Amino acid sequence: MAIFFPFYVLAEIPSNMMMKRTRPALWIPFIMVLWGITTTLLGVVKNYHGLLAARAALGLAEGGLFPGVTFYITMWYRRHECGLRLAIFFSAATAAGAFGGLLARGIVEMDKLGGLPGWSWIFILEGLLTFIVAIVAFFYMNDYPQTAKFLNTEEKKEISRRLEEDRSSLADEYGNKYFKHAMADWKIWVHMFITIGIYTPLYSFSLFLPTIVKTLGYSNEKAQLMSVPPYIVACFCCITGGYFAD
């Protein structure tokens, strides 16, 4: 993971800037295609150096998703309506942890299929699924309320009115000056250190949960299954917290 996260973090801000210069319905599926392909290739690496290169590439491709979707949601909803929706999105990570344990337990039974070990098939199948979802997203994802095909003229005006009322003088257009303003804002830096304090134990727990469970005396296969319940509880707490935050 040490090779993954530096590239993940480096990609976040440039990715959001690119999304504003292009459009969400193009950029988000595009980076999904990239990391779907990269995840699939993780299943066929042959040596340690190849694994490091693939993990670094995955960090660059995946880093734009969470900040990109966060920005995207704020383009549709007022501030006090975003908490629950962001929580539902973030809860997908905890739900993925739960289903990931179940899938890993099943997919590992494909060991030796096609001459590949079971762990390789975990990356290959999940990478292919991501690729398919990304292609579908190209055709069904809308950019902004003003260009959404499923909204009529009155609905577009109402959404725009609600957003303008909530944001007052905030700007949505791209501009380097806004990036400089954000970097000079002390609240951004305080929030950064708060986030570090939250994410350090969060990822320490989530990334090593099967290993932690195994040290309790379970076999490798049983440890994968026993990692599911904590994620189910976390998913519930995430959505509940988002609801009350709004």
Side-chain angles (χ1 to χ4, degrees):
M1 299 311 295
I3 193 69
F4 172 81
F5 278 110
F7 291 93
Y8 184 100
V9 172
L10 286 173
E12 291 185 311
I13 294 176
S15 178
N16 261 23
M17 294 173 72
M18 276 301 299
M19 190 172 76
K20 294 193 74 170
R21 298 198 71 167
T22 57
R23 54 191 183 88
L26 175 65
W27 183 251
I28 291 179
F30 172 69
I31 63 175
M32 287 177 64
V33 166
L34 292 182
W35 97 64
I37 294 172
T38 306
T39 301
T40 303
L41 294 178
L42 274 168
V44 296
V45 294
K46 300 299 183 182
N47 54 58
Y48 183 65
H49 298 292
L51 177 64
L52 291 180
R55 289 295 295 175
L58 182 63
L60 285 173
E62 192 177 337
L65 178 69
F66 275 84
V69 172
T70 300
F71 166 73
Y72 179 68
I73 289 175
T74 62
M75 294 294 98
W76 289 77
Y77 300 100
R78 294 183 291 182
R79 280 174 288 183
H80 73 275
E81 298 170 336
C82 289
L84 177 60
R85 289 164 175 85
L86 287 171
I88 292 173
F89 171 67
F90 275 86
S91 70
T94 54
F99 286 109
L102 292 173
L103 286 173
R105 177 63 185 88
I107 296 174
V108 77
E109 296 298 326
M110 298 173 64
D111 191 36
K112 306 305 181 184
L113 181 65
L116 296 172
W119 64 264
S120 293
W121 284 108
I122 296 175
F123 289 111
I124 293 171
L125 293 179
E126 294 187 359
L128 289 174
L129 178 60
T130 300
F131 179 83
I132 293 171
V133 172
I135 296 301
V136 173
F138 270 119
F139 298 98
Y140 287 95
M141 188 173 175
N142 288 275
D143 291 307
Y144 304 108
Q146 294 78 14
T147 59
K149 298 177 182 178
F150 63 91
L151 296 175
N152 59 41
T153 304
E154 290 302 316
E155 290 170 335
K156 292 178 181 179
K157 289 181 179 179
E158 175 60 15
I159 293 176
S160 297
R161 183 198 64 77
R162 294 170 75 253
L163 292 175
E164 290 174 4
E165 184 181 76
D166 182 58
R167 295 173 185 172
S168 62
S169 60
L170 291 179
D172 291 332
E173 68 273 10
Y174 173 83
N176 286 326
K177 65 179 181 180
Y178 302 124
F179 173 74
K180 294 177 182 178
H181 291 166
M183 295 301 294
D185 189 343
W186 65 270
K187 296 186 291 297
I188 297 293
W189 292 91
V190 170
H191 186 269
M192 179 185 70
F193 286 111
I194 292 173
T195 302
I196 290 173
I198 295 172
Y199 279 9
T200 300
L202 167 65
Y203 282 110
S204 298
F205 179 80
S206 62
L207 296 175
F208 298 101
L209 184 57
T211 303
I212 295 170
V213 174
K214 185 181 177 182
T215 62
L216 299 177
Y218 297 100
S219 63
N220 286 336
E221 293 78 10
K222 193 69 176 293
Q224 289 286 1
L225 294 176
M226 294 302 291
S227 68
V228 173
Y231 280 112
I232 294 176
V233 175
C235 186
F236 171 78
C237 291
C238 181
I239 295 176
T240 304
Y243 172 79
F244 285 109
D246 276 345

